[in-house]
Amino acid sequence: MRNIVKKSMKVISQKENGIIQIKGYIIRLVIVLAAGLFMASAVELFCNIKLMRLPSDIKGVQNISFEKTVFDASDLTEGDPENGLEYRPHEEYLTYQGMECYYLEPDGYVNKLVLDYKNASAAYFDIIVLCENRFGYLESWTTKDNNPIYISESTVNIDKNAKAVWIIPKDNNTPQYDNDVELLNVRIRNVAIFNHFRFLFVLLMVLCVGVIIVFRNAISAHLEYGFLTVGLCAGIIFCLAMPLSRVGWDEETHLRSVYWLDITGSYEYNCFLHNYIDGGAENLPFEYSTSYEEYQHVFDRVNELSTPSESDPAASHHWGTSGFATFSYFFMAITCNICKLAGVPFAYTYILLRLTNMLMYVIVVFFAIRKLPKGKLIMSAIALMPTPMYLACTISYDTVVTGFLFLGMSYIFYLMFTEKKITWWEYLVFVGAMAYGSSRKSIYIPFILLGVFLPHRIFKDKKQEKIMKAGIVLVLLVILSTFVLPAIFSPSAEGDLRGGTTSHAGQMSAVFSNPVGYAALLLSTMWQHLWDFGIGTPALDFMAYLGAGSMTYVIVIYLVAVTITSENTVYVQNDKKKWIAQGMPVWLKAMIYFLVFGVMCLIWTSMYISYTEVGKTTMAGVQGRYYIPLLFPVLFTLSFNKVNTNWNRVRYNMTCMLVSAFIIFYSIWEILIRQCSL
């Protein structure tokens, strides 16, 4: 009886401790959230205090007069001309010489300029601002303002004590439309605003950092939750602040494929929506909002113009994709169809599609990191780099490729080292993830061959081993057939038209007529781009039409440090619940490098056949993002090293997660918030 009482008291005590611990976690989380709200509010106040303290005569929105003239570079004198100090003229201003422009003299502080204009095409302006710098000398500053065809009002960030401004209309990017742009009105906007993008950015950043620090012990033991924290916090602000235009690679193509995968029957659409989805003049690269007010204006206009009116005919447009590509859009297509059925305005639908893609990516990689026996920090670091996260937050199937290939790799590496028997569920996840990740880009499917080399010990018997490995080979052949067989037996007369005079048949003929020459071209080109595409800016720190970041050296140092300071063995649990240390055999490393090399050859060869003009001795079309799935297996093998550290693992893991958070949040601020949403 006494033992029963003791056991009961022990259970009650454990429950009480558990409740107390949960309450403690909730209190900490509330404190972190409160700190985030305080910091975000403080930043908003700090950013607006200058505008709030402006004299009443220049505060608010005021019209300013301007004159139409011809640009003369000699009129733009910098320095202190009254005292004989003149700076050398800018050579770029000579390109504007003799062009029509609009001239205005604010002669005071200008936070933002609001341009009202009449346009029959996209409106491009180059704006030169002559301002007084911090030393009291005159200095010029130039900004570009490219606006889509469907708006006639633009808000440009200045934030200078402007003496004079030249607004120069430029040729647009739509030659089918007349370049007819006329400035109608100019306003100076000195108004304090609550920028919810900036507020959310600070709130999510503080929340992310706070959770990593406060819950460092739990996150260190389960690194997938650290990835989840950073991925969700960064991904949410990424998706919300992203311009409502085609800023990702081929985003209009993916948007069209997603939108027309329709299961709702017929629905109404109009010409604007059709052209916007189809990548017409309404949705061109480099024509995105560059200020907070302009984002709101674009948002409202897209919703307004995409809503069918009585003058627009009701129509059914039921398109689809072909082959395996359809499956790559599955998750976003579900969201899109729900939005159609619910009558959600298109601008909200656009944002929700991006959020869906991001959530799918974060969740899939979360489970990949959880399954890995080793290399969790490496996969987490790669998956949180600016380019992979940027792709996840746009409408793209690259997210499916990277996310599910990571999931498949995590299962195969787990099965390589475990002492437990393989289950059919683990086998199906591995094969399914590799197949689904390669469904749109079958060039990655050779990685599934690692499953053929799974150790005998994990199978129940030889029959199971033969069935499973035969299934792996069958999946490999089926997916490769979608890429290799058409190229060999029925090559098309045309390739990707964006590449110029391309032809699958013509390029295949050129390759087979001189295989040695092609091999030399292939190897030399791969070597030439190995660094940049492997771990450089194009692979990890580039955001398509929004531009490149400035964190490449930090990224390289961080990835190298994480790789070489990882444990040199992996600890796995056997059937008897004992932990066993294992290293990676040399033959497995060699096999991984061989498959990586083979996939690289397929990447370059596929783009040479489809995207490069026939017979050229250069290879076009390959981008650094294609190397992202290759980076993890390479760094994973390199992490089995002889470098041992005695660092505290909790502090080490926390520091690594904080570095990942710093890189992605800094990139979001630099490339997205500051450039598009302030």
Side-chain angles (χ1 to χ4, degrees):
M1 187 68 180
R2 186 176 297 175
N3 291 334
I4 295 174
V5 172
K6 286 183 178 180
K7 288 182 180 179
S8 300
M9 293 297 294
K10 185 176 181 180
V11 170
I12 293 172
S13 177
Q14 289 176 347
K15 288 183 178 179
E16 289 178 349
N17 290 335
I19 293 172
I20 293 172
Q21 191 175 23
I22 292 173
K23 287 182 178 179
Y25 284 150
I26 293 174
I27 292 172
R28 293 177 193 176
L29 190 60
V30 170
I31 293 173
V32 170
L33 181 60
L37 290 170
F38 173 78
M39 287 295 296
S41 302
V43 168
E44 280 303 296
L45 179 62
F46 176 78
C47 292
N48 282 295
I49 196 167
K50 182 178 181 179
L51 290 163
M52 295 165 62
R53 297 177 61 185
L54 287 175
S56 58
D57 59 328
I58 64 172
K59 190 182 295 185
V61 180
Q62 300 176 349
N63 290 328
I64 183 171
S65 60
F66 60 89
E67 62 174 326
K68 190 173 183 179
T69 183
V70 174
F71 184 80
D72 187 352
S74 62
D75 293 337
L76 207 160
T77 306
E78 302 180 65
D80 187 7
E82 293 183 0
N83 294 315
L85 174 64
E86 292 189 11
Y87 298 157
R88 288 178 295 178
H90 294 262
E91 292 185 4
E92 64 180 288
Y93 294 164
L94 296 178
T95 61
Y96 303 134
Q97 188 70 26
M99 295 179 63
E100 290 187 351
C101 68
Y102 299 91
Y103 175 74
L104 52 144
E105 292 183 349
D107 198 22
Y109 176 74
V110 178
N111 181 242
K112 300 185 180 186
L113 277 181
V114 182
L115 311 180
D116 295 315
Y117 52 86
K118 182 178 70 175
N119 61 307
S121 64
Y124 287 19
F125 299 106
D126 282 5
I127 301 174
I128 302 174
V129 181
L130 184 66
C131 55
E132 192 175 275
N133 65 22
R134 67 185 63 187
F135 301 110
Y137 298 140
L138 296 177
E139 194 168 358
S140 65
W141 169 75
T142 307
T143 185
K144 295 184 182 297
D145 180 37
N146 300 338
N147 305 288
I149 190 173
Y150 55 86
I151 66 171
S152 56
E153 177 185 298
S154 172
T155 304
V156 186
N157 289 311
I158 303 297
D159 192 25
K160 301 287 183 183
N161 186 20
K163 298 296 183 181
V165 177
W166 289 262
I167 303 172
I168 307 167
K170 298 281 291 184
D171 290 339
N172 60 62
N173 199 30
T174 51
Q176 65 270 34
Y177 295 95
D178 293 332
N179 188 33
D180 185 14
V181 179
E182 180 184 357
L183 193 63
L184 302 178
N185 187 43
V186 180
R187 287 167 286 163
I188 295 176
R189 182 181 176 88
N190 293 332
V191 180
I193 59 167
F194 177 80
N195 188 322
H196 69 274
F197 292 140
R198 185 170 55 205
F199 181 87
L200 279 174
F201 173 84
V202 177
L203 172 61
L204 291 169
M205 180 179 64
V206 174
L207 186 62
C208 175
V209 172
V211 168
I212 292 172
I213 294 174
V214 170
F215 299 98
R216 56 187 177 275
N217 290 316
I219 287 176
S220 179
H222 303 281
L223 287 170
E224 62 271 19
Y225 288 101
F227 166 80
L228 188 67
T229 301
V230 180
L232 286 178
C233 290
I236 289 171
I237 187 60
F238 232 142
C239 293
L240 294 179
M242 195 86 74
L244 286 177
S245 58
R246 166 182 160 191
V247 294
W249 287 283
D250 304 319
E251 193 171 15
E252 78 289 353
T253 302
H254 303 304
L255 175 60
R256 179 177 64 242
S257 297
V258 170
Y259 202 84
W260 296 138
L261 281 174
D262 181 51
I263 59 173
T264 62
S266 63
Y267 52 90
E268 292 183 335
Y269 76 104
N270 59 13
C271 183
F272 172 84
L273 182 55
H274 181 275
N275 291 337
Y276 198 92
I277 292 171
D278 204 37
E282 288 79 5
N283 190 5
L284 291 175
F286 305 113
E287 295 171 11
Y288 48 78
S289 53
T290 55
S291 65
Y292 178 73
E293 292 83 357
E294 194 170 305
Y295 178 97
Q296 292 179 312
H297 182 58
V298 168
F299 185 91
D300 293 337
R301 286 291 288 166
V302 167
N303 275 338
E304 175 189 346
L305 294 172
S306 62
T307 303
S309 63
E310 294 181 359
S311 60
D312 296 314
S316 172
H317 200 125
H318 188 94
W319 285 5
T321 58
S322 59
F324 287 140
T326 302
F327 300 105
S328 302
Y329 302 116
F330 175 76
F331 300 99
M332 288 184 288
I334 291 176
T335 298
C336 190
N337 279 277
I338 293 173
C339 289
K340 289 177 185 177
L341 289 170
V344 177
F346 179 71
Y348 290 104
T349 301
Y350 206 152
I351 295 172
L352 288 172
L353 291 177
R354 286 171 167 170
L355 282 168
T356 300
N357 210 27
M358 182 272 295
L359 287 172
M360 182 275 295
Y361 174 76
V362 170
I363 292 171
V364 170
V365 177
F366 168 85
F367 285 106
I369 296 172
R370 167 177 270 187
K371 192 66 175 179
L372 271 173
K374 182 185 184 296
K376 294 176 184 287
L377 271 176
I378 297 174
M379 179 176 283
S380 175
I382 295 171
L384 289 172
M385 287 295 112
T387 299
M389 282 298 297
Y390 175 77
L391 286 167
C393 297
T394 60
I395 299 176
S396 170
Y397 55 53
D398 287 79
T399 310
V400 168
V401 174
T402 303
F404 280 90
L405 285 178
F406 277 5
L407 182 63
M409 291 177 190
S410 68
Y411 269 77
I412 191 63
F413 287 135
Y414 166 79
L415 295 172
M416 284 283 184
F417 295 105
T418 186
E419 294 292 321
K420 297 180 179 180
K421 298 298 181 183
I422 186 174
T423 65
W424 278 101
W425 168 252
E426 291 169 336
Y427 173 78
L428 291 175
V429 171
F430 158 62
V431 174
M434 297 301 291
Y436 187 49
S438 305
S439 61
R440 187 58 186 90
K441 292 185 176 179
S442 53
I443 51 178
Y444 296 109
I445 195 59
F447 281 122
I448 202 173
L449 280 175
L450 286 173
V452 176
F453 299 95
L454 287 172
H456 304 295
R457 68 177 183 273
I458 69 170
F459 295 100
K460 183 176 66 175
D461 49 42
K462 290 185 178 181
K463 180 181 178 181
Q464 185 191 52
E465 181 176 2
K466 289 179 180 179
I467 293 173
M468 287 185 171
K469 291 185 176 181
I472 290 171
V473 175
L474 180 62
V475 171
L476 171 71
L477 295 176
V478 169
I479 294 183
L480 270 184
S481 67
T482 65
F483 163 60
V484 177
L485 294 182
I488 295 177
F489 296 108
S490 59
S492 63
E494 289 183 346
D496 193 322
L497 297 178
R498 296 170 299 174
T501 54
T502 58
S503 167
H504 289 176
Q507 201 69 287
M508 291 288 291
S509 176
V511 170
F512 285 122
S513 66
N514 189 358
V516 176
Y518 174 71
L521 173 64
L522 175 65
L523 294 175
S524 62
T525 305
M526 286 168 54
W527 176 255
Q528 180 183 353
H529 295 282
L530 183 61
W531 170 259
D532 282 347
F533 287 3
I535 201 171
T537 299
L540 298 174
D541 198 20
F542 191 61
M543 300 187 191
Y545 299 117
L546 295 182
S550 58
M551 298 293 290
T552 302
Y553 289 109
V554 175
I555 290 171
V556 172
I557 294 171
Y558 173 52
L559 288 180
V560 170
V562 168
T563 300
I564 66 176
T565 56
S566 298
E567 296 172 330
N568 59 17
T569 52
V570 58
Y571 293 88
V572 295
Q573 205 171 27
N574 67 0
D575 292 329
K576 297 180 180 179
K577 307 298 182 183
K578 293 181 179 179
W579 291 98
I580 300 174
Q582 293 185 4
M584 178 175 279
V586 175
W587 68 265
L588 181 55
K589 290 184 179 182
M591 176 56 62
I592 291 173
Y593 295 146
F594 175 76
L595 290 175
V596 168
F597 175 76
V599 171
M600 288 169 57
C601 292
L602 287 176
I603 291 172
W604 285 96
T605 299
S606 65
M607 296 309 293
Y608 186 70
I609 292 172
S610 64
Y611 200 87
T612 307
E613 293 179 296
V614 176
K616 268 199 168 183
T617 54
T618 56
M619 308 183 82
V622 177
Q623 298 177 3
R625 60 192 169 107
Y626 300 159
Y627 275 53
I628 294 172
L630 312 182
L631 186 56
F632 172 71
V634 171
L635 296 186
F636 182 79
T637 59
L638 294 175
S639 65
F640 287 82
N641 50 66
K642 300 302 181 182
V643 177
N644 291 301
T645 63
N646 295 319
W647 298 342
N648 181 284
R649 298 310 296 180
V650 173
R651 293 179 182 175
Y652 174 78
N653 291 339
M654 180 190 72
T655 302
C656 288
M657 296 310 307
L658 289 175
V659 172
S660 288
F662 168 74
I663 290 172
I664 186 61
F665 274 100
Y666 181 87
S667 299
I668 292 172
W669 176 262
E670 177 187 34
I671 301 299
L672 182 59
I673 302 294
R674 192 174 64 182
Q675 182 171 279
C676 305
S677 306
L678 285 183

